[in-house]
Amino acid sequence: MSYAEIALSVRALVEYAFSSGSLEPGFRSGAAMVEGTRSHQLIQKQYKEADRKEVYLKTEIPHGDLLFIIDGRCDGLLAAGDGSLTVEEIKSIAGTPDSALEGREVHWAQAFMYAYILTQDLDLPAIQVKLTYVQRGSEEQYSLYREMTREELTAFAEETVAKYAPYAEMMVRYQAKRGESIHSLSFPFSGYRPGQRHFAAAVYTSIAEGANLFAQAPTGIGKTMSTLFPAVKALGEGKVSGIFYLTAKTVTRIAAQEAVMMLNSRGLHLHVITLTAKEKACFREDGSCGADSCPFAEGYYDRINAAMLDMLEHETLMTRETIAAYARKHEVCPFEFSLDAAYASDIVICDYNYIYDPRISLKRMSEERKKKTVLLVDEAHNLVDRGREMYSASLTKAPFLGLQRQYKTVNPRLSSTAKAVNAFFIALRKSCGDKGAGEWTEYPGELPELLELFASEAELELLHASPLITPPAEEGEAGSLLDTYYAVQGMLRTFKTYDERYITYAEVRSGDVYLKLFNLDPSHLLQQMAKSFRSQILFSATLSPLSYYRDMIGADEEDYSLSLSSPFHKEQWQVSVLPVSTRYHDRDASLQPLSDALKGMVSRKGNYLVFFPSYLYLKNVYEVFTEKYPEVATLLQGSGMSETERENFLAAFRPDNPDTLLGFAVLGGIFSEGVDLPGDRLNGVMVVGVGLPQVGLERNLLRSYFQAQGKNGFDYAYVYPGMCKVQQAGGRLIRSENDSGIIVLADDRFLQNSYRQLLPEEWRDFFVMA
């Protein structure tokens, strides 16, 4: 008989079959995983010489047309003097061991499955099963025992796989249809654009070889389809089993969804899901989370299997709206539902954080699955600063003083630990001296222990909140305990990765004290987070200079590089340089020349955008321009615009506008990257300045660090990130072979060869405006 094989872990099987009850409240211990490992080690150290730990077990169980191949590692296999065996499952819990009562069903189920495999492998008539709970923090232990016969365990194992079978059968049907659809899938366009076939072939080769690829692929080459199509083909051929399409912004996630929709229209049948941030996905306007306050959290695990079966049976492209519809139908939390569905999907479209950020990454993804997964990293130039942000950590003094006072009477232990951290910050302020700042190549050695003690007490308080909380003594003094706890966990996590690529600095700001462990070079940690995956395809129109991004993202010597020429003709751009100084001390003098140059740019009817290095500079030019040229219709990018306001801003750039429209926007902001305004929706762009980040402590620390590494520190800290913004903003103009338009580069530094060489090749033949 021919079986369809279903390979899964013991844990995955029993969690599907036996998980029940509600989602935990919004607070989840950041230390739970570490403490769980510690609890296992604590118990296993007590084992005798004949006892074994982390015993790998595997079995096969047929069910109908399915053959379940199940494996896992039992925590302990204990041998008694009479030769009898006990299988032990260890679980850490936040509450007291007594709260475990008779043990959770899902925990017993995991132990029973290991016991079943042992009775089969060793031909045992019976075995003792031990379930041990360890309280996190106190390390108090509590064990439960059950004697199980081989017959009882066999019946249990068969019942367990029977519960999983409907889901497995659905996935077998789906995978057959998926394979056929990929095999017959053709490229969704009539032909390849210049360079596109080369790019797609390089992507496929990299995935097939398990190599990484750094690709600079100019706007218009069709980057999204050039990466998705060969990755899907590789999936159909069994070279990979999963694809993550990683983005930094919503607009690029939408582009990926649209590419999948196009492939679907050509017959592709593939589970694709888009992950949305929790605050955007949540149905609760007040953001309250937990079974006590949210009906979508209460009883979540009792309904999630039916919801998953329903959505995966009937949907392929699972967008935010699709997930919300099924979540409401089955009354489950939409955010947690999306995460559960992601583990069952072939393509996951999501933010960088889900892979690279240790606080957010999808922790349930097995190492085995990672080895068969490819990462498609869109707009990869963003990964440098995002990486620094992910791997840095900061704290301020004020929350600890507030918590010290707030919990003084209701939780003296928590108050005492907050007081100790506050005292550390008082001493830190003194060490900053008259300058009110300090820098160190190491973190303060006494701080980790203080924060560990605080985190331990904070976790207990968050799990078992004190009934009466004293209000903060002064408004704004006390920070949220939950927010402070997470900030502390972030700092504790960063201590573990702190090395020569970090620097510690402190500043006294408006009476408060700010401490930061600042990651100067994220390349090592980005590389570490991604090394478990089969292949990374990192691509952007502005991955220039390529050597800088290979260095900063963490490339190995054997990783491939690819630089493609623009598929468009130079004649489609009319590029000019306005040789005005936009340096900070010259900006007042530049307001009038910039306004006049803008009037010249919009002299021909159409839609135009101008990008400024700061919002203040933007407003100053806007005021001068609108006063002198009130006849020109203008739009102004606001600060903190809602999604609707952003959509309205872009929608105003219509190809049939009766009058000229000039939009004022911020360089490096929401409208300067990932925005697509093809044809007559955009006729010209002015970029004001060379995009250099604002001079400040962190940028100067970066400059000094890279200079000491033998590199050009100013270029690494300022020039390369700045010119990337310039290229991105100018890249909004020409989006297809039929587009043409004007680019004005407003800064005299564009005339310098060091800046000119960083411009796209097709922009370099510019003329200088008088």
Side-chain angles (χ1 to χ4, degrees), residues 125 149-156:
T149 67
R150 179 174 178 172
E151 291 73 20
E152 288 173 328
L153 290 169
T154 300
F156 171 82

Side-chain angles (χ1 to χ4, degrees), residues 262-303:
M262 180 174 289
L263 293 174
N264 284 353
S265 69
R266 301 298 195 277
L268 180 64
H269 188 78
L270 205 63
H271 282 150
V272 182
I273 192 166
T274 301
L275 297 182
T276 306
K278 185 174 183 178
E279 59 271 18
K280 292 183 179 180
C282 185
F283 292 149
R284 307 278 291 182
E285 291 184 6
D286 60 1
S288 59
C289 195
D292 293 339
S293 58
C294 179
F296 299 98
E298 189 277 326
Y300 174 87
Y301 292 108
D302 301 319
R303 299 185 295 272

Side-chain angles (χ1 to χ4, degrees), residues 213-219 223 246-249 251-252 352 356 376-390 522 526 536-546 548-554 667-669 672-675 699 716 719-732 735:
L213 172 66
F214 288 74
Q216 176 165 287
T219 297
K223 296 186 293 294
L246 304 173
T247 73
K249 297 185 179 181
V251 288
T252 41
Y352 297 158
Y356 299 105
L376 306 180
V377 188
D378 199 354
E379 305 290 10
H381 60 274
N382 287 304
L383 200 51
V384 179
D385 282 338
R386 286 287 297 276
R388 285 200 186 100
E389 178 187 333
M390 292 173 193
L526 287 171
Q536 275 190 110
I537 310 298
L538 302 118
F539 56 101
S540 170
T542 54
L543 219 57
S544 174
L546 204 50
Y548 164 74
Y549 287 102
R550 284 179 60 94
D551 191 14
M552 295 309 303
I553 295 174
L667 191 61
S672 69
E673 183 174 331
V675 171
R699 283 289 151 184
Y716 267 60
V719 176
Y720 296 154
M723 288 299 288
C724 178
K725 294 178 187 177
V726 170
Q727 293 178 63
Q728 282 290 329
R732 299 313 96 211
R735 310 299 293 177

Side-chain angles (χ1 to χ4, degrees), residues 4-6 16 63 65-66 68 161-179 269-271 304-316 318 337 340-341 343-346:
E5 294 185 354
I6 308 297
Y16 182 93
H63 180 90
D65 294 335
L66 306 175
F68 284 84
V161 297
K163 290 182 177 181
Y164 195 93
Y167 177 79
E169 289 164 352
M170 180 272 293
M171 290 301 290
V172 168
R173 294 192 300 271
Y174 159 74
Q175 287 166 4
K177 189 173 181 180
R178 179 191 72 179
H269 188 78
L270 205 63
H271 282 150
I304 186 58
N305 288 352
M308 286 280 287
L309 272 171
D310 191 10
M311 185 167 73
L312 294 175
E313 183 79 66
H314 297 102
E315 304 292 340
T316 51
M318 294 165 281
F337 182 32
D340 284 334
Y343 290 101
S345 298
D346 300 296

